[in-house]
Each structure stands twice: as structure tokens, then as C-alpha cells.
Amino acid sequence: MTMIKEGKISRRSFFNNSLAGIGSLPLASVFDKSHHFTRPLKVVCVGGHPDDPETGCGGTLAKFANAGHQVTIIYLTNGDAGIKGKKPVETAQIRTAEAINACKILNAKPVFAGQVDGSSVVDNVWYAKIQKLLEDENPDIVFTHWPVDSHKDHMAASILTQKACIQMGQKFPLYFFEVYTGSQTQNFHPTDYVDITETQQQKRKAVFCHASQGFVTDAFYQRFHGIMEDFRGISISVKGAEAFIKLTTAKSAVI
């Protein structure tokens, strides 16, 4: 533990300590106005396909961006196999454009890793590639899929991100988000919740950018994603919320 004498707190030491303490804070408390960060936080989300980060934690990402923090979304694949009846190249173009438009609404920067939808790869080459993408962003907080999931691209995104986190010395907290729990995400027992009541409509507009995936009506959205926001909101007595599981390691457990 670093001891700082009263009256001797420099701008540099305050900077270092205020950011170093993020990992020990509950996720929701990061938005507490009593916490003053000396620079905008760098928030990165790694998702399997265009629409996964938006549906899984779009409200939280919007909340970070609206508070002045820098948000980057890394899409593992371009969604090449996601439109029935269309060729992969055309599908990738459509879904990439949808993701870019969604990121504009969330005030996030899109990054496309370049893997193939439905044929995701987890190997040493991709461990290095994802780690390089994260190193380039130098994040303070990272989000990715919960690894227990029925879709292998979601699992791949999670495993690659976890490995990068470990290789980078676990210097940032890692949170897992859920998507379509029960059908895709499995065995999800949250450790953290974020009230997204104020960003629910912003999230919904971002998700609706993915019209190729059927997000064209409120009824469709509510059936698959709105109901989860309602349920997680009930858990913390707010209108809408998103839930997360924090990766806790031997290193991060020591405060």
C-alpha cells in the first residue's frame, strides 16, 4: 500500500491513485459524481458480432460516453454469416455499416478485428492480435461476453479477451456481459449492476441500427432484450439495468 502524507498529494500521485483504484470499486460507483478522475476513462468492449456489445451493455457504454469517457467497441467478426440469402461479402458490408451507425449513437469508436462469423479462431496468433488491439487502446475498464454461451463466437471473444487481460498483467478490471440469457448466455449470476434508465432509449436506437437482424419493432426488441433490462432493473429497484460478472482473480481480490 502506498502511503501519502497529508498535504503532500501531488497532481501525479492523485492521477495514479485515482485510476489505480477503479478495480476496487463496484462498477456502478464509477458513475458516482463523488469520484473524480483526473482524465477521461478509456472503456473497451469486445463483442463477437455487430449488435452484441449494443444489446449486451449498450446502455452502460452510452452512460460512460455521456459522462465524457472514451468508449471503443471491438467487433471480433464482421457478421459475415448473419443475413440469410446474402453472400458473406455483402453481409459483412451491411453489418459493418450498421455497427458504425450504432457506434455513432453510442458515441463510441468502432474497431473490426476481422475474424469470420461462425468460424471464429482461438489460437496463439489471435491471442496476440487481440492483445495488440487492447494494448493500442490502453483501457481502464474492459467488457466482453460471459464465456459460458451457446454461440462459439461469443465464447471465442471472451476467451481471447481474458487471455489478453492476463498477459497484460490484469491492470484493468474485466467485466462479462450477458446476451439473450437462457438461450445464449448460460449460468449467469451477476456481481454488478448498472442503472441504465437514462440511456435505455439511446441503447434501443443503437440496437435498431441492426435492422438486418430483425431489430425493427419495439415488440421484437422487448421480447429478446427489453425484458432483460426490466428484470435486471427490478433487481436493483430501477426502471432498467444491465448486469455484469466481474472477473475476480487472486491478484484483483487483494486490495
Side-chain angles (χ1 to χ4, degrees), residues 156-215:
S158 183
I159 292 168
L160 291 168
T161 305
Q162 289 179 69
K163 180 62 173 176
C165 172
I166 293 169
Q167 289 296 113
M168 294 170 70
Q170 301 169 15
K171 62 182 181 180
F172 47 78
L174 175 62
Y175 292 92
F176 302 105
F177 61 81
E178 57 183 337
V179 287
Y180 197 12
T181 293
S183 177
Q184 293 185 337
T185 299
Q186 309 288 323
N187 299 337
F188 194 84
H189 303 290
T191 61
D192 291 79
Y193 296 83
V194 173
D195 178 1
I196 64 164
T197 301
E198 66 186 36
T199 57
Q200 274 186 293
Q201 289 306 311
Q202 187 177 356
K203 172 185 177 179
R204 187 168 296 211
K205 288 179 181 178
V207 173
F208 274 29
C209 289
H210 299 279
S212 69
Q213 304 306 294
F215 296 111

Side-chain angles (χ1 to χ4, degrees), residues 41-97:
L41 300 178
K42 295 181 179 180
V43 180
V44 176
C45 179
V46 182
H49 317 91
D51 84 16
D52 285 330
E54 294 89 326
T55 56
C57 59
T60 299
L61 297 179
K63 194 165 183 173
F64 272 113
N66 293 350
H69 303 299
Q70 299 172 10
V71 177
T72 297
I73 296 177
I74 299 175
Y75 299 98
L76 183 65
T77 79
N78 294 341
D80 322 56
I83 305 178
K84 190 174 182 178
K86 290 190 180 293
K87 295 180 179 180
V89 173
E90 182 182 3
T91 298
Q93 291 175 341
I94 292 170
R95 298 199 66 191
T96 296

